[in-house]
């Protein structure tokens, strides 16, 4: 017995088209630098045939499922504190170390949360040794 069933033409070509769509998703996932290159990707085609009682006709369903590599997790640090009124506050730590001033991407002085500081505020954070070397108290 020979079958005349071709995946590329099954269901008017919809099965082959769905396979191609899922293969495109795999290709994009492989090229995504946010995924692990070592993880295997899968395209699984399941074709289910349910014959009738006379065994002359079968209802056919085709499912195409893709397993992609997940994106890498994203890590950051959150700093916590308590305001003078007792309320708890939290913010992302941008500078790398709590209470450390930094130069932001615009070249401005910013606090540890990345908030730009004004000149007087920035000058108050100058260390004792820096003030002494500049002739200050």
């Amino acid at each position: 017995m020979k079958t005349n069933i071709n995946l590329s033409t099954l269901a008017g070509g919809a099965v082959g088209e769905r396979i191609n769509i899922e293969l495109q998703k795999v290709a994009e996932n492989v090229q995504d630098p946010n995924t692990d290159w070592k993880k295997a990707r899968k395209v699984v085609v399941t074709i289910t045939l349910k014959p009738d009682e006379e065994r002359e006709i079968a209802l056919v369903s085709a499912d195409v499922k893709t397993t992609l590599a997940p994106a890498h997790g994203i890590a950051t640090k959150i700093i916590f504190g308590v305001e003078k009124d007792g309320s708890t506050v939290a913010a992302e730590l941008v500078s790398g170390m709590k209470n450390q001033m930094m130069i932001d991407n615009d070249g401005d002085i910013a606090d540890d949360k990345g908030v730009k500081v004004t000149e007087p505020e920035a000058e108050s954070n100058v260390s004792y040794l820096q003030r002494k070397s500049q002739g200050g108290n």
Side-chain angles (χ1 to χ4, degrees), residues 26-129:
V26 169
E28 290 169 3
N29 185 259
V30 167
Q31 290 296 307
D32 184 348
N34 294 312
T35 62
D36 186 350
W37 64 270
K38 297 180 218 168
K39 299 271 184 189
R41 281 75 164 173
K42 296 179 190 176
V43 175
V44 178
V45 180
T46 304
I47 299 175
T48 306
L49 298 94
K50 292 184 182 179
D52 65 0
E53 196 172 332
E54 291 80 30
R55 299 174 188 223
E56 293 178 354
I57 298 174
L59 294 175
V60 179
S61 67
D63 293 313
V64 182
K65 296 182 181 177
T66 306
T67 303
L68 302 174
H72 296 295
I74 300 169
T76 190
K77 293 180 181 179
I78 302 288
I79 55 175
F80 299 93
V82 178
E83 293 285 353
K84 292 178 184 175
D85 66 0
S87 62
T88 301
V89 294
E92 182 176 13
L93 178 64
V94 179
S95 69
M97 184 177 285
K98 188 174 179 179
N99 298 322
Q100 178 177 321
M101 301 295 281
M102 61 181 251
I103 306 292
D104 66 11
N105 291 337
D106 298 328
D108 297 322
I109 298 174
D111 66 10
D112 57 354
K113 294 173 283 308
V115 177
K116 293 182 190 316
V117 296
T118 60
E119 287 299 319
E121 186 179 347
E123 289 174 9
S124 69
N125 287 317
V126 174
S127 74
Y128 171 77
L129 291 176

